[in-house]
Amino acid sequence: MQFIKSNWLIMALFRMGVLGMVYFGAVQSVPLVWDMADMAMGTMAWINLIAILLLSPLVFLLLKDYTAKLKMGKEPEFKLSEHPGLKRKVKSDIW
């Protein structure tokens, strides 16, 4: 949310959008408001499912590394240096 707070125009547009939605929800029929809310939730669910599918190769790689270290009796600690394929995809300062 930092990108919204840093620009006053975006923050003002966001606030107006929220106020508009609150007004719309107050004056429209309940079934229409619920249908639109269901549509918004469905859209967010689809976006999350797509993100999960796109991230699944990375997750399976990390799970394989984790289980291998557990089998060797080591403390399962992720080290980016052990995964050269991830160095170009992941910033080193996030781990």
Side-chain angles (χ1 to χ4, degrees):
M1 294 291 289
Q2 187 62 34
F3 70 95
I4 291 177
K5 292 179 182 177
S6 63
N7 189 333
W8 69 270
L9 179 63
I10 293 175
M11 189 65 167
L13 290 172
F14 180 74
R15 287 178 178 165
M16 283 187 229
V18 169
L19 286 173
M21 293 280 79
V22 169
Y23 176 76
F24 179 81
V27 298
Q28 291 299 316
S29 66
V30 173
L32 176 65
V33 173
W34 277 108
D35 288 344
M36 290 185 69
D38 286 343
M39 224 169 50
M41 292 298 158
T43 302
M44 287 189 291
W46 275 109
I47 291 170
N48 283 323
L49 287 171
I50 292 168
I52 288 169
L53 287 175
L54 292 174
L55 289 172
S56 62
L58 176 63
V59 171
F60 287 123
L61 174 73
L62 296 174
L63 179 64
K64 184 178 174 183
D65 178 61
Y66 178 82
T67 55
K69 287 183 180 178
L70 279 181
K71 285 181 183 179
M72 291 189 300
K74 294 182 178 178
E75 180 72 24
E77 179 183 355
F78 179 77
K79 295 180 182 174
L80 188 59
S81 60
E82 295 175 1
H83 302 280
L86 291 179
K87 282 188 179 181
R88 65 179 179 268
K89 295 180 182 179
V90 178
K91 294 181 181 179
S92 61
D93 61 344
I94 65 167
W95 299 101

